[in-house]
Amino acid sequence: MSGKYRVVVVGMGKRGLHHAQAFQANGRFEVVGVCDIDPARLDAAAAKFGAEKDSDTARLSTKLKPDVFCFCTLPGLRSEMIKAGIASGAKLIAFEKPVALNTKEGFAVKKLLADSGVKAVVSHQHRYGEHYRKVKEIVASGALGRVHTVYGTASGWMMHMLSHLIDYMRWYNGEAPAEWAMAQAAGTLKFSDLHTSPDYIGGFIQFANGVRGIVECGAGAPDVPEVDYWWRKCRIGAQGTDGFAEVLTGGGWRAVTKTGACSGPGCMNYDLDMPPYIQEMADWLDDDHKVHSCNFESAYAGFEIMMALCRSAAKGGQIAVPLADACDEIAMLKQHVGNGKVLLSSPVNAKEYGQ
Ligand SMILES: NC(=O)c1ccc[n+]([C@@H]2O[C@H](COP(=O)([O-])OP(=O)(O)OC[C@H]3O[C@@H](n4cnc5c(N)ncnc54)[C@H](O)[C@@H]3O)[C@@H](O)[C@H]2O)c1
């Protein structure tokens, strides 16, 4: 296609602006419309991108009929936006993690997309970081021998961070499907956050290729003292019979293999991660065979694991994946996680967890 793909972006907060800027900077896209319910944000964005504006998503997208419908609203809004995107006739819907706050909403999103045939991508854009890619390269090269474990930890709470951790663990594990998950959760402070979460969740994932996943998110997750910026205290990696390789979101990568120890730079950077994420959308729109790395099906597989961990933390036991029925996992957690204060792994978590 020679013309530009026309884009509507909904939600002109932090991530909406990142997306709009990256679309506008890519010669294959043109931001034709912006939407926000906050008038000041809406006016500023419309002026910045020279785009049409409206506070009503359906009205704007029905009028403009974009090729790409992108929404970066908070996690409580999902199926309503997917419906608006499909109704607008968009060929691709781009939206933010997490896929949804529970499987009632997640199942609805999946069905809407499957029935419509519209392509969709979810923003797990850390995949494009040079340090994230280096670890993927080492794992895929076979230098770790037989990979038996993938792991991820983050100090930030679940609805912000777990979607990311699971996505990159799955990536390092060749996107093998999961068979079951089991978890525990503690602490109720972040149930009142818009990214509604227990303060701490930790669990295990059994992947169909025999690899074990170990994940921890929140107040009790181990500190990553090499990284100063609190939100980037994340460590994701793989261990095999011949060594390990891991990425620190804010602190490069390191590996030990049979040939010795090595390490390198890299830090999460929206300015570097967004352009290739956006470019892959153009590639997929141009050619059905060039499926986006952050395609919905892949993100959904991670979402199901996250929800299985929540169900296990609420009810106990192992939860088989794929999940057969829908429920409200956060409501289950609110009911079952005890009221005791979460115990911290490190004083660096005290401020964010109210201690
Ligand atoms: N991928 C990442 O690295 C990353 C990083 C931060 C946040 N996120 C995700 O991005 C999403 C948005 O986060 P954010 O930090 O940009 O939030 P934000 O609060 O800065 O922006 C959200 C915007 O959506 C607008 N909005 C809310 N309801 C709306 C509606 N009905 N119609 C139109 N606009 C509406 C709000 O007014 C606000 O301007 C969340 O799901 C979050 O988890 C992802």
Side-chain angles (χ1 to χ4, degrees), residues 84-272:
I86 293 167
S88 76
K91 301 181 188 81
L92 185 147
I93 296 176
F95 66 109
E96 266 296 351
K97 45 61 52 179
V99 163
L101 290 175
N102 57 59
T103 45
K104 276 190 179 160
E105 187 77 351
F107 277 31
V109 166
K110 185 181 183 214
K111 181 165 179 1
L112 284 165
L113 289 171
D115 291 350
S116 69
V118 174
K119 293 170 178 164
V121 300
V122 179
S123 188
H124 292 119
Q125 81 289 346
H126 295 197
R127 282 187 184 221
Y128 302 94
E130 61 167 319
H131 49 332
Y132 274 80
R133 297 184 83 83
K134 183 67 188 178
V135 170
K136 171 67 182 171
E137 188 187 306
I138 293 168
V139 177
S141 75
L144 304 184
R146 180 183 65 81
V147 172
H148 49 70
T149 306
V150 289
Y151 55 90
T153 78
S155 302
W157 52 103
M158 183 182 85
M159 279 297 171
H160 274 294
M161 302 309 296
L162 190 52
S163 182
H164 281 298
L165 295 182
I166 294 172
D167 191 72
Y168 312 130
M169 287 163 63
R170 289 186 60 259
W171 184 39
Y172 292 158
N173 190 29
E175 312 233 351
E179 291 182 336
W180 54 258
M182 188 171 83
Q184 289 267 308
T188 55
L189 184 77
K190 296 301 180 191
F191 281 141
S192 56
D193 191 81
L194 288 171
H195 285 79
T196 317
S197 310
D199 298 343
Y200 175 44
I201 186 163
F204 302 106
I205 303 153
Q206 170 73 18
F207 289 101
N209 60 357
V211 169
R212 164 68 65 250
I214 306 174
V215 71
E216 285 186 75
C217 214
D223 185 24
V224 183
E226 300 91 326
V227 176
D228 291 331
Y229 186 59
W230 191 81
W231 282 104
R232 295 182 187 157
K233 287 177 174 290
C234 312
R235 195 162 60 90
I236 306 143
Q239 294 174 345
T241 49
D242 293 342
F244 79 94
E246 64 182 18
V247 62
L248 310 182
T249 297
W253 62 273
R254 58 195 173 205
V256 177
T257 66
K258 275 188 166 173
T259 56
C262 48
S263 60
C267 182
M268 185 216 151
N269 182 336
Y270 291 114
D271 292 338
L272 298 176

Side-chain angles (χ1 to χ4, degrees), residues 10-16 35-38 41 55 57 72-75 77-78 81 96-98 123 125-126 159-160 164 195 268 270:
V10 181
M12 299 315 298
K14 173 178 143 173
R15 290 296 292 149
C35 176
D36 203 296
I37 50 173
D38 177 318
R41 287 187 172 186
S55 59
T57 304
C72 302
T73 49
L74 287 165
L77 269 180
R78 289 292 182 262
M81 288 290 161
E96 266 296 351
K97 45 61 52 179
S123 188
Q125 81 289 346
H126 295 197
M159 279 297 171
H160 274 294
H164 281 298
H195 285 79
M268 185 216 151
Y270 291 114

